[in-house]
Amino acid sequence: APARAFAGDAVPVSVVVERTGGLANREDREHQENDGVVTVRLIDTRGTESDVDDVVLDEREVGVDALRKPVRLEAISEIEGTVDWVVEVSDGSTDDGAAELNTENNRRALAVEIVDRPIRVLYVEGGPRWEYRYLKNLLVREESIDSSVLLLSADSSFAQEGDTPITRLPADAEEWGRYDVVVIGDVPAAFLSEDQVSQVRDLVSRRGRGLLWIGGPGYTPGAWAGTRLSDLLPMVEPGAVSAWSGGRLVVEPTGLAEALSVLRLEDAVDEEGGDNNASAAGPLDAWPEGLPTLQWVQDLGRLKPAAEVLATASTGGVAGQDGESVWLPAVVRMRYGSGQSLYVATDETWRWRRGIGERYPERFYVQLIRMLGRGAVAVGDERARLTASTRTAIEGDAVVFELDVADAGLLPGETKEVAVRVREADELLGGDAAPTDAGVEVRLTRVAVDGPVDTTGLGAVYRGVWTADRAGVFEARPVATTLAALEVAAGVEVVSPDDELRRPEADHAKLAALAEASGGEVVPLDSLSRLNEPGLIRSVARRVADDRTESVAHSPLAFALLLGLLAVEWSVRRAIRLA
């Protein structure tokens, strides 16, 4: 789970179930209705008072086919501060019927820091198109968003709108850093200087902010081809993007949108007819029927390998002008460094207002903005940050530590290496290291970020590899005094496969099916004497038609090889006058 999240945001928790407990033997399993199915729950412990019951925030059923695959749970907290949650796995069996060798690993505690402040959004637009008129009103009206809106085509007497009005674009990294999400509409690339383009790129890649593009008929994305922000666009050729307007288009979300808890425009309804959390529904269940169609969507062409499609636009099975149905990416997401970039390939979501008002466009954009803003609260505004490539590693795994020093004054500019000390701790990022554990020193080497390492002007990034050689909880902290004073640290839990992962119990049903499929027979343990019966264990060795047997003594190839060697020897002897 993320270490931090906004209050009121859907906090995603990813759970991987390695093994189910199983039951003791075949006879017990025959009485188990949901053999191999476990329930994964996300629980709010609500403290330790005896009069406070635990609250189940979310739960999912996991079958055998979903083992070792991420299962997504989510919950919303309005309480500011650290919330203590527990993930619990249960197969519903009693203690007498369970065959688990280890029941202590069925629960895992996690803590999430909830930050209660508005998401700070900067919306930059070229002209007052319809999408701008409704989106800027939405941003101002939404209480969980603090917006600054800048219309570049307006004259000097125009009063710019937003909760925190501005009159110009941010001029340096500090001013850009005030925003969690930057929205770029149909804006000419020339309005941003080269320094501002680099600052936006750094804002996303190193500071975890979100960038939302809204395509338009004028400049976005074509005008941004060849700039440093073109790397944050999901299409391979921004200059080749064109508008497809061969008919009305129907927009639908993909399964990835469900996993990310976005594009849920409709509330799910439970079996009793009451409103339910939309997260319990699939992407199409949370998508309204009869949504007004769009008149045009950009054809983005070939997408980059890292691009992920959250929604598609199609002719809904109706042939377009070329006689074939059309499928186009409408909302595309791409990870870039510590942040995210999201591209919306149309500016016609305002058409969804027809007959219903602002509900659908509002949910569409607010959910996307909250998803993009998660990276900002997760990374924070630290002067230096140490992260590990994984929070849980297996013995023998390589863990990559990355130290991002945003404040260039913390280290001399010529520093090429930084040392961090990794040693065992009492608990993950909280307990003091064991007094007898001196730890191991890992050297982190400076790496290039957005160009040569000596020209970024924004601190530096260092990376190094540590091998998890034993199980336990470990903390990594920089050795340098200036960094140690900031309490910069990263925690890693190293685990080793236990006996439960070996599943020592036999699956008799599968063994019997394997024997039947291969023409064999199941022999019970009390009838092992039958193994001596002739023909019970069949020989499956066969001579195939391509087998060839040839004596080396009568092989023409062997004779030719021998003759060649003799000829070479005779020639050498003639050359040195020995023959």
Side-chain angles (χ1 to χ4, degrees):
R4 300 186 186 96
F6 283 109
D9 196 8
V11 181
V13 179
S14 180
V15 183
V16 176
V17 181
E18 292 285 347
R19 295 287 183 180
T20 60
L23 297 177
N25 50 56
R26 180 183 178 185
E27 288 74 21
D28 289 335
R29 281 199 300 271
E30 290 177 350
H31 298 289
Q32 179 76 6
E33 294 182 358
N34 298 323
D35 183 24
V37 177
V38 297
T39 301
V40 183
R41 298 185 180 91
L42 180 61
I43 301 173
D44 187 353
T45 57
R46 296 291 181 94
T48 58
E49 293 82 2
S50 58
D51 58 340
V52 178
D53 296 331
D54 293 345
V55 177
V56 177
L57 303 174
D58 196 4
E59 65 179 23
R60 294 285 189 276
E61 286 190 350
V62 179
V64 177
D65 57 342
L67 294 179
R68 300 186 181 89
K69 298 178 182 178
V71 178
R72 184 182 177 86
L73 303 175
E74 66 179 40
I76 298 175
S77 177
E78 302 288 351
I79 303 174
E80 184 177 12
T82 302
V83 294
D84 296 317
W85 292 343
V86 171
V87 174
E88 179 183 73
V89 179
S90 172
D91 62 0
S93 61
T94 63
D95 294 338
D96 295 335
E100 289 192 86
L101 300 180
N102 182 10
T103 58
E104 295 181 357
N105 59 5
N106 290 356
R107 292 170 65 93
R108 174 63 62 89
L110 62 115
V112 179
E113 182 183 350
I114 303 299
V115 179
D116 189 8
R117 67 165 176 83
I119 302 175
R120 299 166 298 201
V121 177
L122 170 63
Y123 178 23
V124 183
E125 184 59 85
R129 53 178 174 168
W130 286 106
E131 196 80 346
Y132 158 80
R133 301 184 186 190
Y134 291 111
L135 179 55
K136 56 97 174 175
N137 290 336
L138 182 157
L139 296 176
V140 173
R141 185 172 59 250
E142 176 60 37
E143 294 182 356
S144 64
I145 292 176
D146 181 84
S147 62
S148 297
V149 182
L150 185 63
L151 184 63
L152 299 179
S153 63
D155 55 33
S156 57
S157 61
F158 178 78
Q160 299 288 351
E161 301 183 74
D163 301 297
T164 307
I166 58 175
T167 58
R168 60 172 177 82
L169 288 172
D172 53 33
E174 181 180 355
E175 292 185 3
W176 284 107
R178 298 172 185 170
Y179 300 102
D180 304 314
V181 178
V182 176
V183 182
I184 297 180
D186 202 20
V187 176
F191 270 97
L192 273 71
S193 66
E194 291 187 5
D195 288 341
Q196 288 173 321
V197 168
S198 298
Q199 289 158 7
V200 173
R201 176 170 168 156
D202 180 79
L203 188 72
V204 177
S205 64
R206 294 188 56 190
R207 305 177 73 174
R209 304 312 200 253
L211 178 62
L212 174 60
W213 302 87
I214 302 178
Y219 304 101
T220 302
W224 298 92
T227 69
R228 301 193 72 190
L229 282 185
S230 63
D231 290 343
L232 279 75
L233 289 167
M235 71 287 298
V236 175
E237 299 181 17
V241 172
S242 60
W244 191 93
S245 56
R248 294 190 175 273
L249 295 166
V250 178
V251 177
E252 289 184 345
T254 64
L256 180 60
E258 176 190 10
L260 296 174
S261 301
V262 295
L263 304 187
R264 301 180 181 276
L265 307 189
E266 201 75 271
D267 291 329
V269 179
D270 58 24
E271 296 178 355
E272 287 74 21
D275 290 340
N276 197 359
N277 191 340
S279 65
L284 296 182
D285 296 331
W287 193 258
E289 296 182 1
L291 196 67
T293 56
L294 307 182
Q295 294 185 2
W296 77 277
V297 172
Q298 290 176 333
D299 184 356
L300 304 183
R302 189 160 56 95
L303 300 179
K304 295 176 181 177
E308 301 171 318
V309 179
L310 302 187
T312 61
S314 67
T315 53
V318 179
Q321 292 178 347
D322 56 358
E324 297 180 358
S325 57
V326 176
W327 177 92
L328 300 171
V331 181
V332 186
R333 168 183 179 258
M334 188 177 69
R335 299 287 307 185
Y336 191 82
S338 300
Q340 306 177 71
S341 176
L342 192 77
Y343 192 90
V344 179
T346 183
D347 63 354
E348 292 201 331
T349 63
W350 59 269
R351 294 185 181 275
W352 295 343
R353 300 176 62 257
R354 188 177 63 196
I356 195 171
E358 307 289 347
R359 182 172 68 181
Y360 293 154
E362 180 174 338
R363 293 186 178 186
F364 177 83
Y365 276 112
V366 168
Q367 291 174 13
L368 294 179
I369 289 174
R370 294 187 75 88
M371 180 190 71
L372 293 173
R374 292 171 190 165
V377 71
V379 173
D381 296 317
E382 297 95 340
R383 299 169 63 194
R385 182 176 71 257
L386 180 64
T387 58
S389 57
T390 179
R391 297 171 69 176
T392 304
I394 306 295
E395 278 188 81
D397 284 354
V399 179
V400 178
F401 288 109
E402 180 175 292
L403 176 65
D404 189 343
V405 182
D407 187 349
L410 294 175
L411 293 173
E414 66 277 5
T415 304
K416 301 300 181 183
E417 283 189 344
V418 174
V420 299
R421 185 169 300 280
V422 183
R423 57 182 185 173
E424 195 165 358
D426 297 333
E427 59 185 27
L428 197 60
L429 287 183
D432 297 329
T436 58
D437 181 18
V440 59
E441 192 172 283
V442 179
R443 308 295 296 185
L444 308 187
T445 305
R446 188 169 182 173
V447 297
V449 177
D450 287 352
V453 295
D454 294 328
T455 60
T456 60
L458 293 169
V461 175
Y462 301 83
R463 292 196 188 105
V465 179
W466 169 68
T467 301
D469 56 354
R470 68 183 189 275
V473 176
F474 295 87
E475 265 187 10
R477 294 182 180 271
V479 176
T481 306
T482 54
L483 297 174
L486 298 177
E487 295 294 326
V488 177
V492 178
E493 181 181 5
V494 182
V495 298
S496 59
D498 56 18
D499 292 337
E500 186 176 26
L501 299 185
R502 293 200 296 262
R503 290 296 294 271
E505 69 274 12
D507 193 331
H508 297 278
K510 287 187 178 180
L511 291 174
L514 178 62
E516 181 179 357
S518 59
E521 185 178 348
V522 175
V523 179
L525 292 176
D526 55 0
S527 303
L528 293 182
S529 58
R530 291 186 53 205
L531 295 178
N532 295 324
E533 296 179 2
L536 182 63
I537 301 179
R538 299 178 294 109
S539 174
V540 295
R542 298 289 185 271
R543 180 183 294 274
V544 297
D546 292 338
D547 283 353
R548 298 178 60 185
T549 302
E550 185 176 359
S551 174
V552 176
H554 298 86
S555 172
L557 181 60
F559 177 75
L561 180 62
L562 178 60
L563 185 62
L565 291 175
L566 293 175
V568 171
E569 182 183 6
W570 183 80
S571 300
V572 173
R573 286 179 177 271
R574 285 294 301 269
I576 61 177
R577 299 180 182 276
L578 292 180

